[in-house]
Amino acid sequence: MAAMDEPKTPSQYQSPSGKESSAYLMSIITTLSSSADFEQREKEKTRIEKAYINSDKLLGELVAENYQDVTKILQSFNGMTKSINESRDKIRKIKEDLNSCKTLLHFKRDELRKLWKDGVEHKAVLSMLEQVEQIKEVQDKMNTLIANKHYLHATDTIVQAVAKLEGPLNGIEALREVKIDLVNIREKMHETLIDELTKQIYERSLPTSSMHRGSQMRLSRKDASVWGWSDGLDSPKRAPKTDGTESSVNKTYFEVKEDLNSNPEENLKNFVAILTESLFVLRKLPDAVERLKLGMKGSLNKLINTATQQVAESSGQQLDSMVNHVQPKYLNELLKIVFQQTRCVAETHQTFLDNVFRLTRSSGVEKESSGMPLHGNVLYDMKDVWSEIQARLQILLSQYLDVKNTMSSRQQAPTGFDEPSMDISQYFSKKKPARPKKVSLFRFDASQHAISVSSARQQIQQFEHDSLGQSDNWLIVKVCKPGAFNITAIYKPLRSFIEEVEAIMETTSGLQEFITEFVQNAFLGQVHARVSENIDAATRDISSGTRHRLSSIGFDALRNVIDEKTKRELGVPRPLLQSTVTVDNSIQELQELMHDLPDYADQFLNMICNVLRDYRDKCHSAYRDIVQHGSDEKRIISSMWAKDEDISRFLRSLPSWRSLQPRQGKELDRTICSEEEIRALNSKEAVILISNLSSDESLIPQQEIITDVTQMRTVANVHESLEWFGDRLNQFCTSLTPQDTLNPVQEELPTEMPPISEKTLESLKSLVQDFKDLAEICLLLLHLEVRVHCFYYLLPVAKQSNYAGPIDDLDPDSNVLKLNKDLSGMEEMMAQSLQPKKFKYIFESLGYLVASILITSVQFLKKINENGIKKMCRNILAIQQNLTNITLTRESDLDRARHFYELLYLNPDDVLNSLAEKGPQFTLNEYQQLIQLYHRSFAGNPVSVQDARMQRLQSVMEKGQDETV
C-alpha cells in the first residue's frame, strides 16, 4: 500500500492528449493531498512548478511559432460563440411563438377539422376527374395500340377501364355512354384477337414471313394479382412454361414481354404468346380455342387456294387454262409448297397450344378465379391439327387424281405372276382357237326405274354424309389436268410427308390409307388396262382381208416397222417391229413407275411379267402361223430343222454362230480356226443337210419352203426386234436386286431400282430367255431357209433337166435362174433387215453347200454329153457370179464343182491315171458316181470294164489314204 501511495515523480506525468487532460489534473491533486509528509509535498510542488514553467515556456514558443493560426482560431471561436448566443435567442423566441400558436389552435380546432375534411373531398374529386379524363382517352389509346398491334397493352387498358367504370366510377351517370362503348369494345376485342391469331397461324407463320426464335417474352400488366400472379407493374411473374410435369408448373416461370417501341410481329412465338395472354385476360381463351378448332377446315382450304395461285403466277400461265393441260410438275410444286406451309402452320398451332397449356395449368387457381375452364370437347391437340391437314390433302388429292371417275371405272390389276417352267417347243404346236366371250345383248342401267333408284340411293348417301358433318363444298381451281397418273409425280414427296406425320402422331396416317387404297384398287388396274390397250392396239390385226390371217397377232402388225425418225432416236441399225417398240415403251413406263412408286415395285414387276408373257405368246403364235402351212401340223423344212435338237446344237457350235454372240466379242479370229477346220465344219453341215434332203428322188414341195419374201422379212424383223428387246430386258434384270439377298448395309444404300421378290425376278429372267431363244430360232430359220431354197431349186436341175440334148441347148437351167433371182431377192431383203454380221452368217459358206449339192446330184443324171457338161458348167458359173455379187468374195468352192463336171470330158482311165499321179480331189463315192454316169452316158462299155475301173479306183483311193497316213 505504501508503494501505491508514494507520489509520482514529474517524469511520470506525461503530457496527456485530448480527453485525458482533465483526468491528468485530477491525478496530480490526488497525489498532493494524499501525501502526509510536508517536505514531500513541497518537493512535489517544486517539481510541479518547475514542470509548469517548462510547459509555459514551451507553450510560449509554440504560440510564437504558430501565432497566425492561433489568431485565426481565436477569431473563429469568438464568431461561433456569438452565433450560438444568437441561436439561443431565436429558439427561445420560437418556443414562445409555438406556445402562443398552441394556445390559439386550441381555441380554433373545430374550424380546422372542417377545413381538413374539405381538403380530402377536393382531393378525391380531383382524382376522380383525372380518372374520367383517362377514361375519355381510352378509345383513342385503344385505336393507337390496336393499329400498332400492341394487343396486350390494349387488352390491359380496356380491362382496367371497364373495371374502373364498374367499380369506383360506377355511379357516374355522365359516363354511362362511355361505359357502354368500352364494354362493347371489350366484348368485341376477342374477335380481333382471334382474327389476328388466325392470321398469324395461317399467313404470317408461312416461310415468306419472318420468324425469329429464342426471344424472351415478357408481359406488363397492373392487375396480375386478380389471376393469382404476383403484383408488379412492369414484369409480373407469369404462369410457367411447362413440360407436362407438376414440378415445372410450380418452379419454372415464363415471362412474356410486349415492347411498345418495336414491331410485335417480328417474333412470331412471342406474338402468339401475347395474343394468347390477351385472350386469357379477356376470359375468351375457350372461345378462341373452339373458333380455331372449327376454323381449321376453312383456313386450310384458303391456304391451299393461295398456294395454287402462287404456282400459277410462278408458271406464268392463266390458272383457268392450266386445268386443261397435263402438267403434273405443277401439282408436285403445289404439294411441296403446301407441305412446307402446313408444317409451319402446325408448328404455330403447337406454340399456341403450349401457351394455352401454360395458362390453364399455371397455379391451380384459374379454374375458380378465371371462370374459363377448357372442356375436353373444346380443347384440341396436335393430332387434331394433323388429322385436319390430312383430310384437306385427301380432298385435294382426290380431285387431282380424279378418284371418283377412276374408282368408278377401275380395272382389276393382276395380283401376282407365277408361271411354271415351260418348254419353248410347246409354242410351236397348233393351239385350239379361243372361244368368243359372251356379250350381253342389253342392259337396264339407263332405264327410268334404274335412274330413279340410283338417284334415291345417292340422295340417301348424301344425307348420311351431311349428317356426319363430312360434306365439303370446297371449290378447288386446279393447276393441271386431273388424272390417276398424277400420282407418279407426287408419290415420293407425299410418302416422305406421310412418314413425317406418322412419326409425329405415332399412329398410321389416314392419308396413307387413302393413297394405299387408291393405288391398289384403282391406279394399278388403270395402269394395267392402259398398257394392255396400247399393246393390243400395236399387235391387233388391222387388215381384215389379209390372206395370212394370224390368231393372236396380225401379219400386218408383224410387218409394221418403225419409221426412220424413231429408228434414229432409238439408235438401232435396222428396222424394228412397231409392236416390239410399243411393248418396250410400255415396259419402260412400268419401270419408271417402279422408280416413282417404289412401294409397289413388285406389283409393277408382275405387270411387266404379264405383259411379256402375253407378248411372248403372241410372238410364238405369229411365228407358228408363218412356219406352218395348211390346217394340219405340217411345217416348213427350215422350221423343223431349227427345232431339231441335233441340227440346232450343231449349228450353234459352228464358229460362224459363235462369232455372233456378244460374249464372243469381235468376229471369230481366223487364226483360231484354220481354213481347213472351217472347211471341214462346212462340209459336215452340208453332209447333214444333204443327207436329210437328197436321200430320195422326190422333190421338195413348194409349201414346205417360204416363197414370200415378205414373210422372210418379217422373220428377220422379228429376230432383230426380239434380240434388241431381249438385250434391253437383260439390262433391266441386272438393275434389279432380290430382297432376300440384301444385307442390312445394302438396304440403307440408295439403289437404282427398289428390291423385288426373288421369285418374280426368276420369272422375268425366264421370259427374257424365251425372247432370246425365239430370236435365235428366227436367225437359224433364215440361215436354213436360204439353204433349203438351194435344195428346192438345184435338185430339179439334176432330176428333171436334160443334159444329153442338142448343141444349141447351152443356156443355164431355168431352175438355176430362178435360184439366182430368189437369192437376189433374199439378199436385198436381208441387207435391209439384218445387221451386216448376221447377213454374212446367212450367206457365208453357201457356195460350198451349192457345190456339194451339184456334186451329189450327179447320181440323179441319167445321161450327159459334151453339151450337157457345158450346160452344167454354165449353171455353176451363173450361181458363182450371183453369190460373188452377194458375198463380195469369190466363191472358190464352186470352182471345185466345175472341175468335178469337167472330169467328164476325160476318159475314166485318164481320170484314174491322174488320180494315181496327183492324188484324190474328191471322195470315193463322188468318183464312183462320176464313173457310173460316164458308163450310162456312153454306150458300148461292157459291165466288166466298169467293174474293173471301180476296183482300180478302190485300190488307188486306198493306196492314197495309206500314203497320207
Side-chain angles (χ1 to χ4, degrees), residues 752-948:
E752 183 178 357
M753 278 288 185
I756 46 87
S757 64
E758 187 173 3
K759 183 179 180 181
T760 310
L761 181 58
E762 291 299 326
S763 300
L764 177 62
K765 291 181 179 179
S766 175
L767 289 170
V768 174
Q769 188 61 41
D770 289 344
F771 284 109
K772 290 185 176 181
D773 292 341
L774 182 57
E776 293 180 353
I777 289 176
C778 289
L779 186 59
L780 288 176
L781 175 70
L782 295 175
H783 178 83
L784 293 172
E785 185 64 27
V786 172
R787 282 145 182 79
V788 173
H789 277 234
C790 293
F791 283 100
Y792 175 77
Y793 288 107
L794 292 180
L795 288 180
V797 170
K799 295 181 179 181
Q800 296 179 349
S801 298
N802 181 17
Y803 288 90
I807 190 171
D808 57 346
D809 188 14
L810 298 178
D811 293 333
D813 191 87
S814 60
N815 287 303
V816 172
L817 298 178
K818 292 179 181 179
L819 174 63
N820 285 338
K821 182 179 179 181
D822 191 50
L823 291 176
S824 298
M826 291 188 292
E827 179 264 339
E828 181 180 0
M829 177 273 301
M830 293 185 184
Q832 297 175 356
S833 302
L834 293 177
Q835 300 179 35
K837 61 179 181 179
K838 297 172 184 176
F839 176 85
K840 180 180 179 181
Y841 169 72
I842 298 294
F843 290 97
E844 191 177 24
S845 73
L846 190 61
Y848 186 89
L849 177 64
V850 171
S852 300
I853 294 173
L854 293 175
I855 292 174
T856 307
S857 299
V858 71
Q859 58 182 320
F860 303 114
L861 294 175
K862 298 178 180 179
K863 291 183 180 181
I864 192 171
N865 57 16
E866 185 175 350
N867 293 331
I869 296 172
K870 292 180 180 179
K871 182 177 180 179
M872 183 60 73
C873 290
R874 288 178 180 246
N875 290 338
I876 296 172
L877 182 61
I879 296 174
Q880 186 178 24
Q881 290 176 348
N882 189 35
L883 288 179
T884 300
N885 293 332
I886 293 175
T887 62
L888 301 179
T889 58
R890 176 174 175 79
E891 297 293 338
S892 59
D893 293 322
L894 289 171
D895 292 336
R896 178 172 175 272
R898 182 168 52 81
H899 292 327
F900 177 78
Y901 280 98
E902 287 176 351
L903 292 178
L904 294 172
Y905 287 120
L906 303 178
N907 187 280
D909 294 331
D910 296 336
V911 174
L912 293 174
N913 292 332
S914 176
L915 176 61
E917 293 177 0
K918 299 179 181 180
Q921 297 180 351
F922 304 95
T923 63
L924 174 62
N925 183 54
E926 292 170 350
Y927 279 117
Q928 290 175 349
Q929 297 293 339
L930 188 66
I931 293 175
Q932 291 175 2
L933 177 60
Y934 182 84
H935 281 275
R936 289 196 304 270
S937 302
F938 299 99
N941 294 320
V943 179
S944 58
V945 176
Q946 180 179 350
D947 294 338

Side-chain angles (χ1 to χ4, degrees), residues 537-556:
T539 58
R540 189 180 301 119
D541 188 1
I542 61 176
S543 176
S544 59
T546 306
R547 183 180 63 177
H548 300 281
R549 189 72 176 179
L550 306 180
S551 60
S552 299
I553 177 171
F555 178 72
D556 286 345

Side-chain angles (χ1 to χ4, degrees), residues 196-214:
E196 184 65 37
L197 186 59
T198 303
K199 180 180 178 182
Q200 295 301 317
I201 293 176
Y202 295 101
E203 296 181 16
R204 297 291 298 175
S205 65
L206 302 186
T208 53
S209 64
S210 60
M211 280 181 61
H212 303 288
R213 306 175 183 273

